[in-house]
Amino acid sequence: INLHFCIYRFGIAAYRKCSSGSGYPNISLSAPLPGIPKPVFAAVDSHEQCETKITTLENGLKVASQNKFGQFCTVGILVNSGSRHETKYPSGVAHFLEKLAFSSTAQYGSKDEILLTLEKHGGICDCQTSRDTTMYAVSAEVKGLDTVVSLLSDAVLQPRLLDEEIEMTRMAVRFELEDLSMRPDPEPLLTEMIHAAAYRGNTVGLPRFCPVESVEKIDKKLLHMYLQSYYCPERMVLAGVGIEHEQLVACARKYLLNVKPVWGASTPTNVDLSVAQYTGGIVRDMSDVSLGPTPIPELTHIMIGLESCSFLEDDFIPFAVLNMMMGGGGSFSAGGPGKGMFTRLYLNVLNRHHWMYNATSYHHSYEDTGLLCIHASADPRQVREMVEILTREFIQMAGTAGEMELERAKTQLKSMLMMNLESRPVIFEDVGRQVLATGKRKLPHELCDLISNVTASDIKRVTTKMLCSKPAVAALGDLTEMPSYEHIQAALSSKDGHLPRMYRLFR
């Protein structure tokens, strides 16, 4: 088609001039075609069009928006509320509220009515809770913004919480708990366990999922008590992507400024302001994880973590680069180097130990703490050697990172950041979470500059600091060959890196 267009647009003479005679132009792909007009690209003045606009209403609610051209927008309410705030309540309240979201409200008789209303504007809705944030979000056509904000206000501040809805939620929670323990992928369960080990009995160490014993304890009265404490305007952000800021502020004033919640006046004095206390420790689950006669092998899963830092600290970026440098994944990957095949856990672990099924690094960060951990899976008979390999990788983190290795990790982190921020819902979550936590937003180009400035000495400094903390260990499966927690702790304390002595601690 391009060949025919070239002949049609510029004539047979231009075609012959650029052709080698075989019917294809003989021009390097790095050079422009002759005769083609010079392209004109759209331009913006500095970063003005990228800035996130923030307005605080009289009741303390923050309204944040990011312009993004298109027919659709994503708008939602983020609340500074999650499982870490359940110290005074039975664990699982936030999990229940996630399941009850977008059910019947003062304005809508059922969830079906809400979905039908959104359908008129091509919309969908969702609610997600984490350890520190609850997020109600709607994606719909821009022209339906007024309806969307009205619906969000109703869903967050005017839920009916009918008895039959709560009973259905109990069933849904029980099913999810059963499904969680039967999944072939143990990562969600191990994440729960490593947090419970690292922050025993406090803040982010509290259960993210509702425990079985709490399912019957949670009722409408308890939910209202929790909502009264945490669902107040000063703990909320209305975030929007793909809409004009003034339009979003007008809708916020109309539907969120003078609205009385169904549970009455808020009492933010009852908010739990506990700071995360890192304890370290071990959590074991030796239950039978077999799914029956399946081709999936019965593996033992180990996750070892150390305290990192909060996302408010300057060291957060070096830790993010370190996590990318460690990388890893499964023993099978359908990708090439772009999938992280040159990360340390691939080169030092998966490439050298064929019997390991998985080795992956994770970094969890919160407003007052953080956790860097490595998850590995192997046959139960190989657990002792697998733990030795993980402790060795932690110790070797403190070594000087190679220049090429560091640059690759930084480039991969920036690439992942920019690729994720192509998605409108991801931009929405980024805007909402940053404004909720800090009252402002760092733009992508600012984050990329911070990533570029990370040096090998930064990596060594944060790793040395991290290795001073007690390890947190989560172990799932057959643990007959599992070394003791004291041995793991002693191995990670041998910062001189004498590996033979470290191995003798186990044998």
Side-chain angles (χ1 to χ4, degrees), residues 133-288:
T133 309
T134 301
M135 181 172 63
Y136 299 79
V138 173
S139 288
E141 288 181 312
V142 175
K143 62 184 180 182
L145 179 64
D146 192 83
T147 303
V148 166
V149 177
S150 170
L151 190 150
L152 281 166
S153 172
D154 225 39
V156 175
L157 301 176
Q158 305 287 333
R160 288 185 180 176
L161 304 179
L162 302 175
D163 291 341
E164 54 265 34
E165 291 173 343
I166 293 175
E167 192 55 45
M168 286 292 290
T169 299
R170 290 194 180 109
M171 291 173 60
V173 167
R174 287 194 189 98
F175 175 80
E176 188 170 352
L177 293 176
E178 289 177 17
D179 179 63
L180 190 68
S181 60
M182 293 177 65
R183 286 182 188 176
D185 176 22
E187 195 270 325
L189 194 56
L190 281 167
T191 301
E192 276 290 285
M193 293 168 66
I194 198 74
H195 279 83
Y199 307 92
R200 192 171 294 275
N202 74 91
T203 57
V204 293
L206 298 175
R208 155 79 176 79
F209 298 99
C210 179
V212 176
E213 60 270 17
S214 296
V215 172
E216 292 298 330
K217 295 178 184 177
I218 298 174
D219 56 16
K220 183 175 181 177
K221 182 179 178 182
L222 186 73
L223 292 170
H224 274 185
M225 286 174 58
Y226 180 87
L227 291 165
Q228 196 171 33
S229 297
Y230 291 97
Y231 278 48
C232 44
E234 54 267 35
R235 296 178 64 86
M236 293 182 184
V237 169
L238 174 67
V241 177
I243 35 82
E244 294 292 336
H245 184 70
E246 293 73 19
Q247 194 179 357
L248 186 61
V249 171
C251 289
R253 290 187 182 280
K254 184 177 178 181
Y255 296 111
L256 291 163
L257 187 55
N258 297 308
V259 179
K260 185 179 179 182
V262 70
W263 49 83
S266 298
T267 54
T269 51
N270 294 331
V271 169
D272 177 30
L273 300 175
S274 301
V275 176
Q277 302 296 318
Y278 183 86
T279 61
I282 186 168
V283 172
R284 300 180 180 88
D285 186 349
M286 293 175 282
S287 60
D288 183 12

Side-chain angles (χ1 to χ4, degrees), residues 356-375:
M356 287 190 69
Y357 283 78
N358 182 63
T360 310
S361 176
Y362 297 95
H363 187 217
H364 306 280
S365 197
Y366 306 96
E367 63 182 354
D368 50 4
T369 188
L371 189 65
L372 183 81
C373 42
I374 299 177
H375 164 216

